[in-house]
Amino acid sequence: MSITTNQPLPTTGRLLKSTLLAAAIAGALLVTAVLPAEYGLDPTGIGRALGLTALADGGSTVIDPSTPTSSTASGAEAALAEKAAAAFGANKGQSLDPGAVSLTNGELRQDAMTITLEPGKGKEVKSHMVAGTGMLFRWKATGDVAVDMHGERPDVKGAWTSYAVEGAQREARGTFVAPFEGTHGWYWQNRGDKPVTVSIELIGYQADIYQP
């Protein structure tokens, strides 16, 4: 069974108004939602307020597992506050910074090595280190060398993280704390026409010193 109802057709004016209204809504959505989410364009500022501009950057943020988050940092601070109160009582002028200390079970080591760089040649000296462990270093060369102090993760091939780079340097000394577990050290290159000797000393919690 079917029922047929005769309905009057809409007038031209009504169709025109409906079309203009639909176009206005589509334009508003384009400016406030599509452009911020797809292309990062936000002329009205509404996309940023709704968090749509973040989608233009891939929609997610990659967090390094070795980087402490605010929740872990606050947890460590709360634990330190509890220990401090139990050991010495509450102190009004006391502030807390548990991130300043990185404890380790490793043995304190003192290592040294001397290498010779022929003209146009380069060599590396590296140490295995756990994230958060540190060392004092000092190296000195008999001539200018290009140097890249860097680290490499054990599960990544053909990639490294540089900490300090110089095109011509003869010596450096300082403190280093490993930002991640892996190998950390120096690559020196002799760009002169005479052999150069580089001597390096380490004191810290590095597991070793070696040439790859």
Side-chain angles (χ1 to χ4, degrees):
M1 183 178 65
S2 63
I3 299 176
T4 302
T5 303
N6 294 323
Q7 296 287 349
L9 295 175
T11 65
T12 302
R14 181 176 297 179
L15 287 174
L16 181 59
K17 289 181 180 179
S18 299
T19 302
L20 292 176
L21 179 61
I25 294 175
L29 289 175
L30 175 67
V31 173
T32 61
V34 177
L35 290 179
E38 294 292 332
Y39 305 101
L41 301 177
D42 188 19
T44 65
I46 296 176
R48 181 179 291 103
L50 296 177
L52 297 176
T53 52
L55 297 177
D57 296 327
S60 62
T61 301
V62 178
I63 300 176
D64 190 332
S66 64
T67 302
T69 62
S70 58
S71 60
T72 57
S74 60
E77 189 169 318
L80 179 58
E82 184 178 349
K83 291 181 179 180
F88 299 102
N91 290 280
K92 187 176 181 180
Q94 182 181 33
S95 60
L96 304 169
D97 187 4
V101 177
S102 179
L103 300 178
T104 178
N105 294 323
E107 294 293 330
L108 184 66
R109 294 172 55 99
Q110 182 169 355
D111 295 302
M113 181 177 288
T114 299
I115 59 174
T116 299
L117 306 177
E118 297 298 330
K121 302 297 183 179
K123 290 183 180 180
E124 275 187 296
V125 172
K126 304 170 73 174
S127 296
H128 289 90
M129 300 181 71
V130 177
T133 56
M135 65 181 178
L136 304 176
F137 67 88
R138 178 175 63 186
W139 66 265
K140 190 171 184 179
T142 57
D144 287 340
V145 291
V147 58
D148 181 352
M149 185 180 182
H150 62 279
E152 298 172 74
R153 300 176 187 271
D155 55 346
V156 179
K157 302 297 183 182
W160 64 92
T161 301
S162 294
Y163 311 126
V165 178
E166 295 291 344
Q169 193 175 28
R170 292 199 177 194
E171 61 180 306
R173 65 195 70 187
T175 303
F176 173 75
V177 177
F180 53 83
E181 181 175 358
T183 57
H184 306 271
W186 296 261
Y187 172 78
W188 294 282
Q189 186 181 67
N190 179 8
R191 297 179 177 176
D193 55 3
K194 297 180 180 179
V196 173
T197 298
V198 180
S199 299
I200 182 167
E201 299 174 80
L202 306 176
I203 300 177
Y205 292 96
Q206 68 279 0
D208 51 18
I209 185 172
Y210 74 101
Q211 281 187 259

